[in-house]
Amino acid sequence: MRRKENKLAKRIIISLVILTVLAGSVYLVFKFRHLPDAPNILSSDVEVGDITMSVVSSGNITNGAMINEELPTGVKIESVLVEVGDLVDVGDPLAVVSEASVNSQINLITDAIKELDKDINKQKGDTESASVKTNVSGRIKQLFAETGDYVEDVMLANGGLAVLSVDGKMTVTIEYNNLSVGGKLNVLLENASKVTGTVRTIKGNQVTIEIGDNGPGFDELVTVQDMDGKTLGQGRLTISQPVTIVASDGRVKSISVDLNGYGSAGGTIMTLEELPPTAEYLKLLSDRDDLVDTLLSLVALKKNNLLTASVSGTINTLNIEAGEVTSKGVMSSSGADGYSSSIPYDLLGLLSSEPNDATTVTLDAHRDKKSKSKKIYEVVQLGVVEITEITNSMLLQGLYRIIPSTGAFPVATVETDEYFGYISYTPSDLLFMPDVQYIADISLVAKESYVFPAGLIPNFGLDIIVSNISIDGNSPENSMSFRMVFPKTSTLDGILSLIPDNINLFDGLFSLDGLMPDFNLDDLISASIGDGFSMPDYSSLLGGALGNNTSFGSSGSDNENMMTAVVIASNETMTLNVEVDELDILKIQKGQPASVTFDAIPNREFEAIITRISSSAAGSSGVARYSVELTIGKDADMRSGMNATAKIKIDEKNNVFKIPVDAIQEQVGFCFVYLEYTGGILSDEREITTGISDGEYVEVIDGLTENDTVHYEMKSRGFSYFRMLNERG
């Protein structure tokens, strides 16, 4: 037994000795690295110089500024001289228009200006309401405005012009126990007068007492006593049920009610002067300005009957066709005896229809009878009409919800009975930001019962530009992809707020032929097609009045009498959106320069400027990343969609000690370098403190001097902590 124990002890001792020798060997190998392959050992003196730290991130470039070339409505297109993708220079002809239609529109616009001038003359001098009235009766307990004050200043400083007490009560709250709701107390006012109060509510030790509002002042310090004169507490009076009196413009001319005075419902509190013109009058002036701008465009067209390019660039979108008449509406006249219209349809209604089917269409229309108080509505039965064509227009059931609206979350997926799909936005903000133009790339896959037909053209309205349409009809899963370029969110928010959640906006189009009734259609209000399907009024969303002799089109113009005929992607700039993580985003500023390189354009570097930084992050795997937009001067070799890499400087140090990144020996908790290399061995460790790095060199804050030389083994260009720090993004 003892012999076995001795053997075991010897084995343990031998094992410990072996482990000690191995540990010592590992330390010596690490301490004095024997590197016989001398050509792999490099030496570098400590340099004094500059280091720049940058964020590097990649993305795909898109066309920069989109320039809208506009035409007046009501002008007939003789021929279109360009196609999507064509390059044009400033002054190049884009389309030929009919001289007769231009002259006709000049006469119409001139007459319209004359009619507007009559209305303007009648309404000039009219202003908004010249008095401030109360809608409820009450006592004036706060009066902020004085004679001569500007309403806007008083409103911003106080939140209102005056405050009414509408229930005849004021309240004070004190802290006290052992009181009962409904109990009577004495309230001593600042002028030493005494009134009777009633306990209204008790919450814990918080007791609220109410008194009449005739006399006591708002915020007056009062003392509460019991009926024997014992003081229970103090507090300041508040209005029990306050109503704030407001206005928006003007200057206070006179005040009709004194502080603590009583105002009857509908009574005048104060009168105002220097009021702005009425909204109706301002609208007339704005409409006239639009008509004048349109007239100038028509006069310019009359010179040579050509629409020309105002910038050099690439044709991005064409909204016109030869033989069409320009319009912002959805109605299309086919002559005096007939009427052809393209109207959004209900999907189920379409699937049950075929060309040559007969259906009944009813239009609700209104004409302005020059009545200032109302418009007169008419319901007109068009009668039985014939479906002549079902166009290949995009089925947008549910898809309008992908349109950006400030503060909303981007939609990542969509699914209907016909298809499912995915949407990605550029820039990729967590929430849609105000006044930003977003681009959506949409990929849709048809379900088993549906097929995207060849030649399908998405048609969205609302001035949404659709491009890059691709339909794969040969794959096992029939698919379609396209790009949508939206107007800036600020122009869409008001429109989207009008659309009910249960409406499938712009589900598609079909064409109808029928007899034109003998009346002048000013605005399309709704259409009833077949058995009860009703189309809501989206005429205002499409751009306004829908007159005769018009065809379907969309427009980005704010002028109701103009439409966007051609969209040109300017040759001057392109846009690159990249993502930067939260550790670096605060070091980046709008207007900051950057450099951009392209995989497809080797050995060249382009200058860029940061033009937008998202204020909200898109999270991925717990890392917050922010979208950064850069604008690049366009080069002839650049193409939309190319992969580009941006390098953005975020830190810079001048006249610092620096050594190559590869010289750094990285261990947990510290870094060091070797100062000796003899006999194939690296030795003489020196711990150092490092600073920023540009990926090639690293700043040495402490541990080395300018006279030192570091030695290191040449490394592969693999992972380096300092290189990672510089190239993150």
Side-chain angles (χ1 to χ4, degrees):
M1 184 69 177
R2 184 177 298 276
R3 186 174 298 171
K4 288 182 179 180
E5 290 177 353
N6 288 339
K7 285 183 179 181
L8 179 60
K10 287 180 181 180
R11 288 176 180 174
I12 292 173
I13 292 172
I14 291 171
S15 298
L16 289 173
V17 170
I18 291 172
L19 289 173
T20 302
V21 171
L22 289 174
S25 301
V26 170
Y27 172 77
L28 290 174
V29 168
F30 180 73
K31 179 76 173 176
F32 304 104
R33 300 179 67 187
H34 186 73
L35 302 166
D37 192 4
N40 288 330
I41 301 301
L42 302 176
S43 299
S44 177
D45 295 332
V46 176
E47 299 180 27
V48 177
D50 304 333
I51 293 183
T52 299
M53 186 174 181
S54 301
V55 167
V56 179
S57 188
S58 297
N60 299 99
I61 62 168
T62 58
N63 289 320
M66 296 291 179
I67 309 300
N68 294 338
E69 304 292 358
E70 297 183 342
L71 279 174
T73 57
V75 173
K76 185 176 181 180
I77 306 299
E78 296 284 359
S79 60
V80 180
L81 307 177
V82 292
E83 295 181 355
V84 172
D86 286 354
L87 294 174
V88 294
D89 291 325
V90 175
D92 282 356
L94 306 175
V96 180
V97 300
S98 161
E99 181 179 2
S101 67
V102 170
N103 289 329
S104 175
Q105 288 303 111
I106 287 176
N107 293 332
L108 288 173
I109 295 296
T110 303
D111 290 342
I113 291 174
K114 291 177 182 178
E115 290 298 318
L116 270 179
D117 285 345
K118 294 177 184 179
D119 291 337
I120 290 171
N121 190 57
K122 291 177 183 177
Q123 296 188 34
K124 68 180 181 181
D126 289 354
T127 62
E128 299 292 353
S129 177
S131 61
V132 178
K133 299 179 181 293
T134 61
N135 295 318
V136 294
S137 59
R139 193 174 303 279
I140 303 292
K141 300 308 297 181
Q142 289 180 276
L143 186 58
F144 304 118
E146 297 180 0
T147 301
D149 285 348
Y150 284 98
V151 167
E152 182 178 332
D153 295 337
V154 178
M155 289 287 295
L156 291 175
N158 304 284
L161 302 177
V163 179
L164 293 176
S165 167
V166 298
D167 68 344
K169 305 293 183 182
M170 299 191 74
T171 61
V172 59
T173 299
I174 63 171
E175 292 184 3
Y176 199 79
N177 293 312
N178 301 322
L179 292 175
S180 301
V181 173
K184 301 297 182 181
L185 298 170
N186 288 324
V187 178
L188 187 65
L189 305 179
E190 286 183 348
N191 63 4
S193 62
K194 187 181 295 185
V195 297
T196 300
T198 303
V199 177
R200 188 164 78 177
T201 61
I202 299 176
K203 295 181 180 179
N205 66 345
Q206 300 289 311
V207 181
T208 298
I209 302 102
E210 66 179 18
I211 61 175
D213 65 4
N214 189 5
F218 173 78
D219 204 38
E220 180 178 337
L221 181 64
V222 298
T223 301
V224 179
Q225 301 174 335
D226 63 15
M227 301 306 289
D228 296 326
K230 176 184 175 182
T231 297
L232 306 182
Q234 285 188 318
R236 294 193 175 274
L237 289 173
T238 61
I239 303 169
S240 172
Q241 293 182 9
V243 170
T244 302
I245 304 300
V246 297
S248 59
D249 288 293
R251 189 174 185 178
V252 179
K253 182 179 181 180
S254 63
I255 299 176
S256 308
V257 180
D258 295 328
L259 187 65
N260 206 53
Y262 194 84
S264 301
T268 298
I269 295 292
M270 59 189 71
T271 57
L272 306 175
E273 59 186 356
E274 299 181 26
L275 287 159
T278 63
E280 188 174 358
Y281 178 74
L282 293 175
K283 178 66 165 57
L284 290 174
L285 292 178
S286 175
D287 290 346
R288 191 185 194 281
D289 288 341
D290 286 348
L291 287 173
V292 171
D293 289 341
T294 304
L295 182 60
L296 291 173
S297 297
L298 288 164
V299 171
L301 273 178
K302 188 177 179 181
K303 277 188 171 183
N304 52 20
N305 301 315
L306 288 177
L307 172 67
T308 58
S310 61
V311 296
S312 297
T314 304
I315 302 297
N316 183 271
T317 307
L318 285 173
N319 293 324
I320 52 176
E321 290 184 11
E324 284 189 349
V325 177
T326 57
S327 171
K328 297 184 75 165
V330 297
M331 301 299 291
S332 177
S333 173
S334 61
D337 297 328
Y339 199 86
S340 175
S341 63
S342 294
I343 303 174
Y345 64 75
D346 168 60
L347 177 62
L348 295 177
L350 174 73
L351 293 179
S352 62
S353 302
E354 296 290 343
N356 301 319
D357 278 359
T359 187
T360 300
V361 173
T362 300
L363 295 181
D364 288 342
H366 72 263
R367 291 201 296 269
D368 188 352
K369 299 294 186 181
K370 303 191 183 300
S371 167
K372 295 177 63 175
S373 61
K374 64 180 180 179
K375 289 187 175 181
I376 298 174
Y377 290 81
E378 297 183 19
V379 178
V380 180
Q381 181 77 32
L382 290 186
V384 177
V385 295
E386 197 173 275
I387 299 176
T388 56
E389 179 185 6
I390 300 176
T391 64
N392 282 338
S393 183
M394 184 61 212
L395 305 181
L396 261 189
Q397 192 172 4
L399 259 186
Y400 79 89
R401 292 180 177 84
I402 75 174
I403 300 174
S405 179
T406 300
F409 290 95
V411 175
T413 60
V414 64
E415 184 171 4
T416 71
D417 293 338
E418 289 73 44
Y419 54 79
F420 63 89
Y422 307 92
I423 303 100
S424 62
Y425 293 90
T426 303
S428 55
D429 295 331
L430 182 61
L431 296 175
F432 289 124
M433 306 304 295
D435 204 35
V436 175
Q437 184 175 47
Y438 288 93
I439 299 172
D441 289 299
I442 297 110
S443 298
L444 303 177
V445 177
K447 293 184 176 179
E448 185 175 352
S449 60
Y450 184 74
V451 174
F452 296 114
L456 186 63
I457 301 174
N459 194 347
F460 290 81
L462 302 179
D463 195 29
I464 298 170
I465 298 171
V466 180
S467 62
N468 300 354
I469 303 169
S470 176
I471 298 176
D472 185 358
N474 298 320
S475 63
E477 292 184 325
N478 177 242
S479 63
M480 178 179 188
S481 64
F482 52 92
R483 168 169 288 184
M484 298 170 65
V485 180
F486 302 99
K488 289 186 176 181
T489 43
S490 58
T491 65
L492 286 168
D493 295 339
I495 291 174
L496 294 178
S497 67
L498 301 175
I499 301 172
D501 289 339
N502 62 342
I503 295 298
N504 295 323
L505 183 60
F506 299 113
D507 280 339
L509 301 174
F510 64 79
S511 296
L512 301 173
D513 277 344
L515 294 178
M516 178 62 186
D518 186 18
F519 81 108
N520 295 319
L521 180 63
D522 293 320
D523 288 290
L524 175 66
I525 302 303
S526 67
S528 298
I529 303 171
D531 297 329
F533 167 68
S534 178
M535 184 187 75
D537 175 15
Y538 293 124
S539 60
S540 61
L541 309 188
L542 286 170
L546 309 175
N548 294 328
N549 301 316
T550 62
S551 63
F552 183 85
S554 64
S555 170
S557 176
D558 293 330
N559 186 337
E560 299 299 333
N561 310 296
M562 302 287 291
M563 70 161 289
T564 297
V566 182
V567 180
I568 300 177
S570 172
N571 270 344
E572 296 180 359
T573 61
M574 299 201 79
T575 299
L576 172 64
N577 283 280
V578 298
E579 292 186 341
V580 175
D581 74 36
E582 61 184 323
L583 297 177
D584 299 319
I585 194 64
L586 296 180
K587 301 172 185 176
I588 295 175
Q589 297 180 348
K590 189 176 178 180
Q592 184 176 339
S595 61
V596 175
T597 56
F598 292 83
D599 295 343
I601 312 175
N603 305 318
R604 295 182 66 188
E605 188 175 277
F606 300 88
E607 294 181 355
I609 294 291
I610 295 174
T611 48
R612 194 187 72 85
I613 301 173
S614 175
S615 59
S616 60
S620 177
S621 303
V623 179
R625 301 176 71 83
Y626 294 80
S627 176
V628 175
E629 177 190 87
L630 300 96
T631 297
I632 314 161
K634 190 169 183 179
D635 184 85
D637 291 335
M638 294 181 189
R639 299 288 186 274
S640 179
M642 280 185 174
N643 186 69
T645 300
K647 189 173 184 180
I648 308 169
K649 181 173 69 176
I650 61 172
D651 202 356
E652 185 176 19
K653 295 284 188 70
N654 304 114
N655 298 318
V656 297
F657 292 149
K658 63 179 185 178
I659 59 175
V661 167
D662 289 343
I664 302 294
Q665 309 301 315
E666 302 166 28
Q667 293 297 316
V668 178
F670 69 97
C671 298
F672 66 93
V673 294
Y674 291 111
L675 297 183
E676 293 291 339
Y677 174 69
T678 55
I681 296 176
L682 290 170
S683 61
D684 193 7
E685 298 173 13
R686 178 79 60 85
E687 185 175 350
I688 63 172
T689 303
T690 58
I692 69 171
S693 171
D694 62 5
E696 297 298 326
Y697 285 86
V698 62
E699 175 194 9
V700 179
I701 297 174
D702 188 37
L704 295 175
T705 68
E706 189 176 358
N707 298 321
D708 290 327
T709 300
V710 296
H711 306 276
Y712 57 97
E713 182 181 3
M714 184 171 63
K715 301 176 182 177
S716 67
R717 305 305 291 171
F719 172 81
S720 165
Y721 174 73
F722 297 97
R723 192 170 294 112
M724 178 200 73
L725 281 181
N726 180 65
E727 295 178 354
R728 69 188 178 200

